[in-house]
Amino acid sequence: MTAQDAGHGSERRAQLLRGSLDLCVLAAVDQRPGHAYELASRLADAGLGDVSYGTVYPLITRLRRAGLLLEQQEPSPVGPPRKVFSLTDAGRAALRDWLAQWRRSTSDVESVLRATGVWAARTP
């Protein structure tokens, strides 16, 4: 693999991640409300190691404006109050819908990969 191939691999991963990051953020907030930096850290710890605060914060802002997240101020042990985000009812509904779409999409892709022989049958 050349350096250029590796670059294309990381670019492909970034494209796939962009398509699923909304779902990941809603799932993380559903697990436990948090502020943007904490959510970015939790996503990184959960397996999305290259997700930064600079990526997560604008996404959270967009989800809040769409009515999927609620922003509340929480005192900080140091510095100004933190913005803590939790799911709204619309956010919970979107999470359920997007999760169902994710399951269908990944199942469809796996079906194609199995049919072409590049994906060996695996057990769940």
Side-chain angles (χ1 to χ4, degrees):
M1 176 182 287
T2 67
Q4 183 178 8
D5 292 338
H8 288 301
S10 62
E11 181 181 323
R12 171 62 58 195
R13 184 180 190 291
Q15 289 173 350
L16 290 170
L17 183 59
R18 272 192 292 278
S20 57
L21 196 52
D22 288 16
L23 173 61
C24 293
V25 167
L26 290 183
V29 174
D30 186 50
Q31 178 189 36
R32 186 175 73 247
H35 54 85
Y37 183 80
E38 176 192 357
L39 292 169
S41 296
R42 286 173 30 206
L43 290 171
D45 292 346
L48 301 179
D50 56 356
V51 175
S52 70
Y53 172 82
T55 299
V56 171
Y57 192 79
L59 172 62
I60 288 172
T61 299
R62 185 171 51 77
L63 294 172
R64 183 187 54 77
R65 287 182 180 156
L68 304 180
L69 294 178
L70 176 66
E71 176 185 312
Q72 295 177 302
Q73 297 288 323
E74 177 182 276
S76 173
V78 292
R82 295 179 178 167
K83 296 176 184 178
V84 175
F85 299 94
S86 58
L87 288 183
T88 63
D89 289 341
R92 281 187 196 82
L95 176 58
R96 283 191 305 271
D97 291 346
W98 294 353
L99 184 55
Q101 291 172 11
W102 175 260
R103 287 180 175 145
R104 282 191 305 274
S105 297
T106 56
S107 177
D108 292 347
V109 169
E110 286 183 15
S111 293
V112 170
L113 296 176
R114 282 191 189 100
T116 62
V118 298
W119 185 290
R122 20 176 246 170
T123 56

